[in-house]
């Protein structure tokens, strides 16, 4: 006991029984969750073997969105980023014209195979990871979308939600498929 008492720092307290009382050390609290999300992220859907970059800051202009789909999936800028809370919309290709070649030409070609409960992961360049679970699929006509109650419900959902949207069925632009996933 003498050896231990002589080795302890002066600020160490000793209990009535003569044992050292070690005060807890407060570690710094991470502020990573409070920092803005970076503009580099990857979306991964293991079930269909997809891992594609998300392109941010494209805006809402359809031509700009379409042009940027060659670089990955495109975050629809008027919505929240994945992980921020609220509705986050990400757009992707399900197919291209046969004469086009693009590394990210059809990342959502197998989106119809994703079922409720399947996981979608968004990982940012700073290491933050957000896992979503697929909840439902909505197929709609884009020309009649304004009156679709299902889409209005999606837009008004207060839960952190990721919605992937692509043309449907594959090789057409007749309809759209929207896959809704909620943050775990």
């Amino acid at each position: 006991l003498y050896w231990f008492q002589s080795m302890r720092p002066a600020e160490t307290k000793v209990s009535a029984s003569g044992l050292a009382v070690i005060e807890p050390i407060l570690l710094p609290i991470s502020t990573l969750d409070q920092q803005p999300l970076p503009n580099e992220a990857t979306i991964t859907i293991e079930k269909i073997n997809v891992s594609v970059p998300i392109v941010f800051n494209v805006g809402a202009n359809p031509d700009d969105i379409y042009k940027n789909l060659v670089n990955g999936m495109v975050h629809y800028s008027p919505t929240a980023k994945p992980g921020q809370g609220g509705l986050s919309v990400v757009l992707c290709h399900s197919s291209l014209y046969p004469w086009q070649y693009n590394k990210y030409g059809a990342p959502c070609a197998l989106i119809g195979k994703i079922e409720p409960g399947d996981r979608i992961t968004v990982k940012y360049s700073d290491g933050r990871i957000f896992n979503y679970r697929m909840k439902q699929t909505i197929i709609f006509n884009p020309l009649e979308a304004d009156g679709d109650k299902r889409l209005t419900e999606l837009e008004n959902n207060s839960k952190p939600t990721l919605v992937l949207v692509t043309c449907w069925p594959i090789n057409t632009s007749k309809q759209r498929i929207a896959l809704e996933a909620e943050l775990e």
Side-chain angles (χ1 to χ4, degrees), residues 30-52:
S30 172
T31 58
L32 187 60
D33 289 342
Q34 299 165 2
Q35 294 177 4
L37 292 167
N39 288 324
E40 293 178 20
T42 301
I43 188 166
T44 303
I45 310 169
E46 288 184 23
K47 182 165 187 176
I48 59 172
N49 199 28
V50 166
S51 186
V52 178

Side-chain angles (χ1 to χ4, degrees), residues 44-84:
T44 303
I45 310 169
E46 288 184 23
K47 182 165 187 176
I48 59 172
N49 199 28
V50 166
S51 186
V52 178
I54 300 175
V55 181
F56 293 99
N57 298 323
V58 173
N61 180 321
D63 290 335
D64 293 337
I65 291 169
Y66 190 79
K67 288 175 189 173
N68 278 281
L69 285 170
V70 300
N71 301 314
M73 295 187 191
V74 173
H75 170 253
Y76 185 60
S77 295
T79 65
K81 284 185 176 180
Q84 280 185 324

Side-chain angles (χ1 to χ4, degrees), residues 121-140:
T121 302
V122 176
K123 182 177 183 180
Y124 284 91
S125 58
D126 66 359
R128 283 185 272 181
I129 298 173
F130 298 94
N131 292 309
Y132 292 84
R133 288 278 178 197
M134 204 286 249
K135 182 179 171 186
Q136 70 170 330
T137 299
I138 299 171
I139 297 174
F140 63 96

Side-chain angles (χ1 to χ4, degrees), residues 113-162:
K113 294 189 180 286
I114 301 171
E115 300 171 327
D118 289 339
R119 179 179 280 172
I120 300 168
T121 302
V122 176
K123 182 177 183 180
Y124 284 91
S125 58
D126 66 359
R128 283 185 272 181
I129 298 173
F130 298 94
N131 292 309
Y132 292 84
R133 288 278 178 197
M134 204 286 249
K135 182 179 171 186
Q136 70 170 330
T137 299
I138 299 171
I139 297 174
F140 63 96
N141 180 334
L143 302 176
E144 299 170 0
D146 288 341
D148 195 321
K149 289 181 182 180
R150 300 167 304 165
L151 297 176
T152 303
E153 287 175 14
L154 271 179
E155 291 173 4
N156 295 327
N157 186 353
S158 61
K159 295 179 182 176
T161 304
L162 174 69

